[in-house]
Amino acid sequence: MPDVKVAIVHEWLESYAGSERVVEQMLRIWPEAELHAVCDVLPEAERGFLGGRQVRTSFIQRLPFARTQFRKYLSLMPLAVEQFDLSAYDLVLSSNHAVAKGVITGPGQLHVSYVHSPMRYAWDLQHQYLRQAGLERGPMSLYTRWLFHRMRLWDHATADRVDAIVANSRYIAERIEKVWRRPSTVIHPPVDVERFTLGAAREDHYLIATRMVPYKRVELVAEAFRAMPERRLVICGDGPGLAQAREAAAGAPNIVFRGRVPQAELVQLIRTARAFLHAAEEDFGIGMVEAQACGTPLIAFGRGGARDIVRPDTGVLFPEQSAASVMEAVRRFEALAPMIRPEACRENALRFSAAAFRERFRAHVEALLAAREAACASA
């Protein structure tokens, strides 16, 4: 598409994480695209994927303390994205989990939004956010509830500004349908599966590796393995939920906490684990794909992105976030384990490679552009 001028709009650039990997692949598909973001505080060491591009930021970039506390300007972000002048572009791609889809485009432009999730804390996770932030009562609670109410109204209204929506999983497609009443096309996010290789000999440990935050439900896995002393569990990660996980594992010599481990050591633990456990309800779940790329089977909670990742020949799903459900899943896995081949797990992971993402996303956008051109020609 040499004649198409492309703009990519991202919420904020803070770290090189999952949503930034999507932007990275968009930039590889359209290397001449110009990148816009509400603010850019990305450390120099993590800017390589930008290829030296200048990022066009909003007025929030220049507000006091924006480099460290830009999230406190959430109430201004809808206004900020609406100030981007995108009139010179034929194709606008937004990478959205908060406000990016709210940019203003004209009738001669195609706006495709890749949605990592509708604004979680403003919709179905509002009450969970308020509890975790200690904002269930008081003046700040009232202000935050009012702000989320205003954000919901804006978020729903601006969904109609998008010409086509792409969801990163079936779970997110369902959330989009629920909160925006819009259909979407599922294209899974890119995972760097090439940096993982098949494991050799399997050892006797099960593994859970994740950020220790409450919704990850690591304590459920610890409680389950405390009741299964003949099975060994290794837990890697750190965060505010670590104390709860340790409490759930109290007195269990078969459970080992490793904290944060170097990447090479973590990959080796994954490559040699009997299975990789995941108890959270995720939008997608990149860690599960990385485990599959190592040939490691999965035992995962059967909601969210896990439904798109786990196949009957690569792992098992459990129906409830409870220790009893985890225990039953481990037993089912051990009965099926002889039939789960590492090569099948690896093959499954390749469905989510960066190359697969580029191929699917490019084809989808080009089809939308062709359909728009045909419609204009026949008008």
Side-chain angles (χ1 to χ4, degrees):
M1 295 180 292
D3 297 326
V4 176
K5 191 170 183 184
V6 183
I8 298 173
V9 183
H10 191 53
E11 256 105 24
W12 49 76
L13 290 163
E14 181 185 22
S15 63
Y16 179 56
S19 61
E20 287 72 31
R21 293 174 191 268
V22 170
V23 171
E24 177 182 25
Q25 298 307 316
M26 290 180 179
L27 290 169
R28 289 192 62 181
I29 300 170
W30 295 282
E32 302 304 318
E34 296 180 352
L35 181 59
H36 300 68
V38 169
C39 61
D40 175 11
V41 296
L42 195 66
E44 195 62 37
E46 299 183 38
R47 303 186 71 85
F49 77 98
L50 297 178
R53 289 176 181 83
Q54 177 185 359
V55 180
R56 303 179 181 217
T57 56
S58 74
F59 65 81
I60 288 179
Q61 183 82 17
R62 300 181 294 278
L63 294 180
F65 309 110
R67 292 201 63 84
T68 57
Q69 301 186 50
F70 61 86
R71 286 180 177 83
K72 292 188 176 179
Y73 292 115
L74 178 64
S75 62
L76 295 177
M77 288 185 185
L79 176 63
V81 298
E82 291 178 343
Q83 301 315 302
F84 286 132
D85 181 3
L86 304 177
S87 57
Y89 303 95
D90 305 296
L91 172 63
V92 175
L93 304 170
S94 57
S95 166
N96 182 86
H97 59 73
V99 299
K101 79 175 193 321
V103 294
I104 296 173
T105 57
Q109 299 171 287
L110 177 67
H111 178 188
V112 181
S113 186
Y114 188 91
V115 178
H116 309 279
S117 175
M119 205 180 303
R120 304 174 186 88
Y121 38 84
W123 289 100
D124 50 313
L125 297 186
Q126 172 187 291
H127 300 293
Q128 178 180 320
Y129 171 84
L130 292 171
R131 281 195 302 273
Q132 292 175 359
L135 292 172
E136 292 182 280
R137 296 181 179 81
M140 278 303 297
S141 174
L142 289 174
Y143 167 75
T144 304
R145 292 171 191 272
W146 172 84
L147 174 60
F148 286 170
H149 170 69
R150 298 296 301 174
M151 295 297 287
R152 279 192 294 274
L153 295 176
W154 181 87
D155 189 47
H156 186 275
T158 55
D160 286 335
R161 297 180 186 176
V162 181
D163 297 301
I165 300 175
V166 177
N168 77 347
S169 67
R170 286 184 293 157
Y171 174 64
I172 293 303
E174 291 165 2
R175 296 189 73 224
I176 289 168
E177 174 65 31
K178 178 70 175 181
V179 303
W180 296 341
R181 303 301 182 187
R182 290 287 309 271
S184 58
T185 300
V186 175
I187 300 178
H188 299 112
V191 182
D192 186 8
V193 295
E194 287 78 12
R195 69 189 178 99
F196 299 91
T197 57
L198 282 174
R202 296 284 157 180
E203 297 179 3
D204 69 340
H205 66 275
Y206 290 84
L207 178 70
I208 184 164
T210 187
R211 290 179 297 116
M212 297 289 183
V213 291
Y215 87 92
K216 296 289 187 177
R217 304 309 305 269
V218 177
E219 78 282 356
L220 295 180
V221 180
E223 182 182 346
F225 275 80
R226 187 175 66 176
M228 299 185 293
E230 70 282 6
R231 297 173 175 90
R232 182 166 175 258
L233 174 67
V234 176
I235 299 177
C236 296
D238 199 359
L242 179 59
Q244 187 177 10
R246 286 189 179 277
E247 182 179 349
N254 61 314
I255 301 176
V256 178
F257 287 86
R258 297 289 296 272
R260 291 187 181 181
V261 298
Q263 181 66 18
E265 184 179 345
L266 177 60
V267 170
Q268 185 61 14
L269 284 168
I270 297 173
R271 293 175 74 241
T272 56
R274 294 186 68 180
F276 184 91
L277 286 113
H278 192 89
E281 183 176 338
E282 296 279 10
D283 298 338
F284 178 62
I286 287 175
M288 288 185 280
V289 177
E290 293 174 341
Q292 294 270 274
C294 294
T296 303
L298 296 173
I299 302 173
F301 178 46
R303 289 190 62 183
R307 292 181 302 157
D308 290 10
I309 297 170
V310 181
R311 300 189 319 199
D313 63 336
T314 69
V316 299
L317 298 172
F318 53 90
E320 298 176 357
Q321 286 180 311
S322 68
S325 193
V326 172
M327 292 170 65
E328 175 59 27
V330 170
R331 296 187 186 104
R332 283 194 291 118
F333 163 74
E334 290 178 349
L336 294 170
M339 294 175 282
I340 298 179
R341 298 182 302 108
E343 295 80 9
C345 296
R346 172 76 183 178
E347 179 185 351
N348 184 37
L350 295 179
R351 296 187 295 134
F352 308 103
S353 70
F357 172 85
R358 290 195 302 272
E359 179 181 349
R360 293 170 190 152
F361 192 68
R362 181 202 294 271
H364 182 62
V365 172
E366 288 182 347
L368 292 168
L369 284 167
R372 169 162 291 231
E373 184 176 342
C376 291
S378 63

